[in-house]
Amino acid sequence: MSNLHNPASPFVPFSPNPAIQSGVASPTTPLSISQKTPQLGSSNLRYASSRKSIYDRHLNRTQRSELSKASFAFLFGEMIQYAQKQVSGIQDLEKKLNIQGYSIGQRLLELLLHREGRSAKRETRVLGILQFVAQTVYRHLFGKPADGLEKSRDNEDEYMLIDNDPAVNSYISVPREMSQLNCAAFVAGIIEAVLDGSLFPSRVTAHSVPTEQYPMKTVFLIKFDESVLERESVMPNN
Amino acid sequence: MTFYFAIIGTKDNPIYETEFGTSKQGGDGHARFPDEQRPMNQFILHSALDIVEEVQWVQKELYLKTVDRFNNLLVSCFLTAGNIKFLLLHDSKAEDPIRQFFADVHEAYVKTLMNPFYEVDMRITSTVFDSKVRAAAKKYL
């Protein structure tokens, strides 16, 4: 049944994933399968109980569906607890949350542009990608655009994305001794992945900036890599 | 008409490759590269990456159309949002079928990416993905 009858080629793949790096002579043979049995066959593929693979699922079916906030809060609480068991400090914990969000952001970026269909456009400018995050990404995640987008007055490479009441924090009260912690680091991870994926490498961190009106106000500080500003400065103004 | 198709990751690492022939006009879908040409294909696509890196900041579409040529061979590119490059080496000009082919592959790629066990830049080893690509090639090319 194999439709992978490619002739052996010298195409030795390179990937940062160590599991893949050991170059196997025939690259189109699935590694995981070939290691277990030399035979290829659909029987070796594991299917969900519905007998359908991920390729049979529709990408746009859940486009407008919403998740219950209660179940998200429960899941997110568990994620924080899980992360906290593995770390020793607040910075570590924020980093863990950031990483959890990062893998979501990588997927979200690709999915959102795929859903735009033929009119999809990649963002090539700093302002464009920030708008994309504040509008498209934020709207998809939380059902509303971000509350503000500001450029830092002191630093040329810093931008601030403002959320007056982050949905992820609505059922979280941070203990006094951990007051530095902002669990929206998870969202910061998502934003960072979207920026990185679009070739705007940056560091994104979440900071609590409580005000009278918005006690939960969070600012995502976006610090772009030097290369981004360098590129931006040579791009034509249009 | 013979095609060579490769997907290149964000670190210019190949994550998938295949070759196939046309299924239109009585073609049987088998690739017919001369033996001395086959090893060249990878070099041609690799050298096209430089041009893609220039074009991607000028053109905002995902489908960058034909970016490079080598003798009588053309290289078409489709660049995803996450900077994954789909490169197709082909010998005749046909923009629309290639666009449709890329669109189908893009859908299959996004589905691959939705798998929590798959990470960006990992090689795509799924046989289902492979058959999806072949089906798209058969349908449009």
Side-chain angles (χ1 to χ4, degrees):
Chain A
M1 89 111 235
S2 162
N3 45 14
L4 292 165
H5 42 67
N6 267 19
S9 88
F11 208 56
V12 179
F14 175 78
S15 161
N17 184 337
I20 308 174
Q21 233 157 29
S22 56
V24 164
S26 153
T28 38
T29 312
L31 275 184
S32 55
I33 296 172
S34 64
Q35 277 162 357
K36 282 178 210 141
T37 75
Q39 268 178 327
L40 274 175
S42 56
S43 58
N44 288 327
L45 285 172
R46 299 249 223 109
Y47 287 101
S49 52
S50 61
R51 300 286 305 162
K52 281 193 170 174
S53 79
I54 197 163
Y55 293 100
D56 298 312
R57 312 241 324 236
H58 207 274
L59 276 175
N60 294 343
R61 192 155 293 157
T62 52
Q63 195 167 5
R64 308 242 172 268
S65 57
E66 288 190 355
L67 182 71
S68 119
K69 201 173 178 184
S71 58
F72 174 77
F74 179 68
L75 182 66
F76 192 54
E78 285 296 315
M79 280 166 59
I80 293 168
Q81 277 189 24
Y82 174 75
Q84 208 178 359
K85 276 181 200 149
Q86 307 178 325
V87 298
S88 50
I90 291 170
Q91 277 204 323
D92 262 8
L93 180 58
E94 287 198 331
K95 199 170 171 201
K96 267 264 162 1
L97 288 170
N98 189 292
I99 291 168
Q100 286 176 340
Y102 197 90
S103 57
I104 294 178
Q106 285 182 314
R107 290 163 171 78
L108 193 62
L109 170 67
E110 202 74 69
L111 183 64
L112 286 175
L113 255 84
H114 176 264
R115 281 179 178 168
E116 282 176 29
R118 274 187 73 160
S119 61
K121 293 265 190 296
R122 286 174 300 108
E123 295 297 343
T124 55
R125 304 301 295 257
V126 167
L127 226 53
I129 191 72
L130 288 172
Q131 287 285 350
F132 177 77
V133 171
Q135 300 290 328
T136 317
V137 174
Y138 233 78
R139 212 185 286 273
H140 180 79
L141 288 174
F142 306 117
K144 56 162 188 138
D147 295 306
L149 182 64
E150 289 173 15
K151 191 175 195 306
S152 162
R153 242 169 276 149
D154 311 325
N155 295 311
E156 194 63 19
D157 56 351
E158 288 181 353
Y159 288 81
M160 289 169 294
L161 191 73
I162 297 155
D163 191 334
N164 289 334
D165 186 18
V168 292
N169 282 356
S170 40
Y171 298 104
I172 293 172
S173 35
V174 178
R176 195 183 298 275
E177 68 270 19
M178 298 176 78
S179 57
Q180 286 292 304
L181 175 71
N182 188 329
C183 292
F186 176 69
V187 182
I190 298 179
I191 297 172
E192 191 174 322
V194 170
L195 295 174
D196 280 5
S198 315
L199 292 182
F200 292 86
S202 55
R203 280 287 301 144
V204 184
T205 44
H207 304 275
S208 305
V209 190
T211 59
E212 285 272 298
Q213 200 183 354
Y214 302 109
M216 299 292 274
K217 185 169 169 179
T218 296
V219 170
F220 297 102
L221 186 68
I222 300 167
K223 190 174 174 63
F224 285 108
D225 195 74
E226 267 174 55
S227 60
V228 176
L229 294 182
E230 222 170 275
R231 187 179 65 217
E232 188 76 5
S233 64
V234 296
M235 298 249 299
N237 290 314
N238 47 13
Chain B
M1 290 222 290
T2 299
F3 301 88
Y4 171 69
F5 175 64
I7 302 181
I8 312 292
T10 58
K11 299 184 174 67
D12 289 355
N13 51 318
I15 57 178
Y16 175 84
E17 64 151 357
T18 187
E19 50 180 42
F20 45 81
T22 184
S23 302
K24 299 269 182 283
Q25 295 141 14
D28 58 358
H30 286 298
R32 284 198 180 72
F33 282 115
D35 278 345
E36 68 275 13
Q37 172 67 38
R38 188 166 281 137
M40 290 294 288
N41 292 345
Q42 292 157 1
F43 287 109
I44 297 169
L45 288 198
H46 189 260
S47 71
L49 288 177
D50 286 341
I51 301 167
V52 173
E53 269 175 34
E54 279 174 30
V55 176
Q56 74 180 103
W57 297 107
V58 182
Q59 222 176 316
K60 286 181 154 194
E61 276 85 30
L62 301 185
Y63 179 39
L64 301 177
K65 300 185 181 160
T66 304
V67 290
D68 195 12
R69 56 173 63 235
F70 181 84
N71 294 341
N72 57 339
L73 295 168
L74 304 162
V75 181
S76 283
C77 178
F78 183 97
L79 190 64
T80 75
N83 202 34
I84 306 292
K85 299 161 194 92
F86 299 172
L87 294 174
L88 183 73
L89 186 72
H90 54 107
D91 50 14
S92 58
K93 223 169 159 61
E95 252 172 37
D96 244 29
I98 291 174
R99 178 201 298 278
Q100 287 166 312
F101 168 74
F102 278 147
D104 274 25
V105 177
H106 188 210
E107 183 178 331
Y109 171 74
V110 176
K111 285 176 178 173
T112 308
L113 191 63
M114 290 301 123
N115 181 354
F117 293 103
Y118 180 83
E119 272 171 48
V120 174
D121 282 350
M122 258 169 78
R123 275 183 57 207
I124 300 175
T125 53
S126 163
T127 48
V128 185
F129 181 85
D130 189 71
S131 56
K132 287 264 174 195
V133 172
R134 280 166 193 285
K138 199 171 176 191
K139 197 163 155 196
Y140 299 116
L141 299 175

